[in-house]
Amino acid sequence: MESFPCFQSGERGLEPRIIERRAFDVPAASQAPAIDGLLDERIWSTGRRTAEMVDNATAGEPEAATDVYLAWDGEGLYVGLSCSEPLLDDVIEQTAERDGPAWLDNAVEIFIDGRSSRRDFHQFIVTSGGALLDGRKENGVFSSDWDAELGEELEYAVTRTADGWSAEMRVSWAAVEMESPEVGDQFRFNITRDRNVSVAGRSEASALSPTFGGFHAPARFTTVTLR
């Protein structure tokens, strides 16, 4: 059985909320979605929602909710994110170039530790303005010099909605150095959100599995099982 990292003294009261985020199931996709950022395919229907993100510092409810949808097939992992945003006109979208400081913008981050190493991972940051940072941590050292091949290994799209914005992504198994998986396979994973807005005191960080600090904390990622 997989063990979860020790809690700091200030986190012990949060333990029940953390335990329920130790593992998630990912359903198989009967048909791959079109990666257009709209989340209007059947696999993203309400009944298939994986979870809602929690505040990264408290494991409580954030001001701006984020619904997480996951699915998979023999080609790759599909991620859908519906991000509510009451301050949509105030989100920060300054990064344009690939591998720029996307984490300073309004963004979501996907982490895949395909070997369940608890140390290394591939990372993809997508901003609400459409910028991308992709990189990997290898042997404990992170670099954004690594890039996935767009179209073949990675597809993504974002769109604004009536009450926020949404993101959609396909990450091929080859991109994250994984063999084509089978039902029951597991790996370490996390999704986080950098809600960066220009209104003082309203920016916040949320996560599928809270790290209670920086997002580069693979020991605090969750475990996903392909079903």
Side-chain angles (χ1 to χ4, degrees), residues 1-5 19 22-23 118 186 188 223:
M1 180 179 295
E2 188 172 10
S3 62
F4 201 75
I19 289 175
R22 290 173 63 176
R118 292 177 174 268
Q186 297 180 323
R188 303 280 290 176
T223 295

Side-chain angles (χ1 to χ4, degrees), residues 40-51:
D40 55 357
E41 289 88 358
R42 186 174 180 179
I43 69 168
W44 304 138
S45 64
T46 303
R48 300 292 292 274
R49 187 182 75 169
T50 299

Side-chain angles (χ1 to χ4, degrees), residues 156-174:
Y156 74 96
V158 297
T159 188
R160 292 206 172 195
T161 63
D163 59 355
W165 61 288
S166 59
E168 202 170 18
M169 179 178 291
R170 176 188 67 86
V171 182
S172 74
W173 302 119

Side-chain angles (χ1 to χ4, degrees), residues 74 84 97 176:
S84 68
E97 71 279 12
V176 292

Side-chain angles (χ1 to χ4, degrees), residues 7 11-22 212:
F7 301 108
E11 299 168 12
R12 290 193 176 277
L14 306 175
E15 185 170 345
R17 300 183 207 169
I18 298 171
I19 289 175
E20 68 183 11
R21 292 183 170 269
R22 290 173 63 176
F212 304 99

Side-chain angles (χ1 to χ4, degrees), residues 91-96 105-107 126-132 156 158 160 165:
V91 298
I92 297 173
E93 297 176 339
Q94 297 180 340
T95 301
D105 277 18
N106 190 56
V126 175
T127 75
S128 57
L132 169 70
Y156 74 96
V158 297
R160 292 206 172 195
W165 61 288

